[in-house]
Amino acid sequence: MGKAYDVMAATCPSRTVLHRIGARWTVFVVLALGDGPRRFTQLKTRIEGITPKVLTETLRALEADGLVRRTSLPGNPPGVEYALTDLGRSLGGPMRAVSEWAESHVPEILAARARYADAEA
Amino acid sequence: MGKAYDVMAATCPSRTVLHRIGARWTVFVVLALGDGPRRFTQLKTRIEGITPKVLTETLRALEADGLVRRTSLPGNPPGVEYALTDLGRSLGGPMRAVSEWAESHVPEILAARARYADAEA
DNA sequence: GATACCGGTTACTTCAACGAAACCGGGACG
DNA sequence: CGTCCCGGTTTCGTTGAAGTAACCGGTATC
């Protein structure tokens, strides 16, 4: 039997999953939570350039998809902790692979872009 | 020494790379070219739901980044062939990993979404 | 009492991406 | 000659994701 889901199929639910994964800030949040639970402010600091609004939205979306668990800490001072679920942790591998690919191929890509810009001028 | 590029840094060029990788249709094109060169129409057929305009844009962007090579076939009938470059092929692994993750965790995620929708109602 | 930190929320705006539809030249086919 | 396929381009409109900025209650600190 073939696989149950196929991203090439127009109406396959895996497309919605891929869409969530590909959202602008998802990768950063998943990576930032890779070493363990973090507070909202820690995430905001670590992920440079993210605004609180977008961070909230991203965390909510990941929580809705079961990738992140949000826990209120009733201690003093009260706080909120975000952690990856097992499901979220299982996405960490592929995400790390993609971000490491990005980090390690920057020079080639910048060079290609420069070449392309030249060629069309 | 630390790594040269860090996706967590606001101004790091790796962010632009990640942005390109995360673009809606990039993953589909890279995967569709994974088995070898393809014609424009073949890609359009294989990637269900993509419009010619968006396919053109995506291919141009990937070409600019040096991930895809565009070759005019002067034969008869004339045609155009798209193929991954070595760089593009090296991205295939991570991309396949992500898409396979998506395909294989659809049920869990749909269940989580349903649970979340219930919980907030 | 004033100030600051935490973990957000709200309202408004902007902008790039995406999509729909029509159209195009060149060649092949009948 | 009329029609079809290939590989796009062009125009227009939409939308939703993202950004800006201000604000909020509660707690603790000075």
Side-chain angles (χ1 to χ4, degrees):
Chain A
M1 76 194 193
K3 53 186 169 183
Y5 299 98
D6 178 7
V7 293
M8 293 301 178
T11 63
C12 183
S14 64
R15 286 243 174 133
T16 73
V17 174
L18 218 43
H19 191 205
R20 190 56 58 80
I21 293 176
R24 185 89 119 190
W25 296 101
T26 297
V27 56
F28 301 108
V29 171
V30 171
L31 291 180
L33 290 176
D35 312 329
R38 292 282 182 272
R39 307 291 203 77
F40 186 88
T41 308
Q42 289 180 305
L43 290 173
K44 197 163 73 67
T45 304
R46 173 118 193 257
I47 306 169
E48 293 181 18
I50 197 168
T51 62
K53 182 197 149 204
V54 171
L55 180 54
T56 299
E57 286 171 356
T58 305
L59 286 167
R60 290 275 183 284
L62 292 177
E63 198 194 349
D65 282 4
L67 300 170
V68 162
R69 185 172 27 248
R70 179 182 191 274
T71 315
S72 289
L73 304 175
N76 198 347
V80 185
E81 193 179 76
Y82 295 94
L84 292 180
T85 60
D86 288 345
L87 188 58
R89 224 164 293 120
S90 77
L91 180 58
M95 290 245 137
R96 227 173 349 265
V98 168
S99 77
E100 279 166 14
W101 187 95
E103 286 175 349
S104 60
H105 292 87
V106 168
E108 283 129 293
I109 290 177
L110 293 184
R113 285 181 188 171
R115 235 179 294 122
Y116 189 85
D118 273 12
E120 72 176 355
Chain B
M1 77 195 193
K3 54 187 169 182
Y5 298 99
D6 179 6
V7 293
M8 294 300 178
T11 62
C12 182
S14 63
R15 287 244 173 131
T16 72
V17 173
L18 219 43
H19 191 205
R20 190 54 61 79
I21 292 177
R24 185 89 117 193
W25 295 101
T26 297
V27 55
F28 300 109
V29 171
V30 171
L31 290 180
L33 290 176
D35 312 329
R38 291 283 182 273
R39 305 292 203 77
F40 186 88
T41 308
Q42 289 180 306
L43 291 172
K44 196 162 74 68
T45 304
R46 173 117 192 256
I47 305 170
E48 293 182 18
I50 197 170
T51 61
K53 183 195 148 207
V54 172
L55 179 55
T56 299
E57 286 170 356
T58 305
L59 287 166
R60 289 277 183 283
L62 293 176
E63 198 194 349
D65 283 3
L67 299 170
V68 162
R69 185 172 28 246
R70 180 182 190 272
T71 316
S72 290
L73 304 175
N76 198 345
V80 183
E81 194 178 77
Y82 295 94
L84 292 179
T85 60
D86 287 345
L87 188 59
R89 223 164 293 121
S90 76
L91 181 57
M95 289 247 134
R96 233 178 336 270
V98 168
S99 77
E100 278 166 15
W101 187 95
E103 287 175 349
S104 61
H105 293 86
V106 168
E108 283 129 292
I109 290 178
L110 293 184
R113 286 181 188 170
R115 236 179 294 122
Y116 190 85
D118 273 12
E120 70 174 355

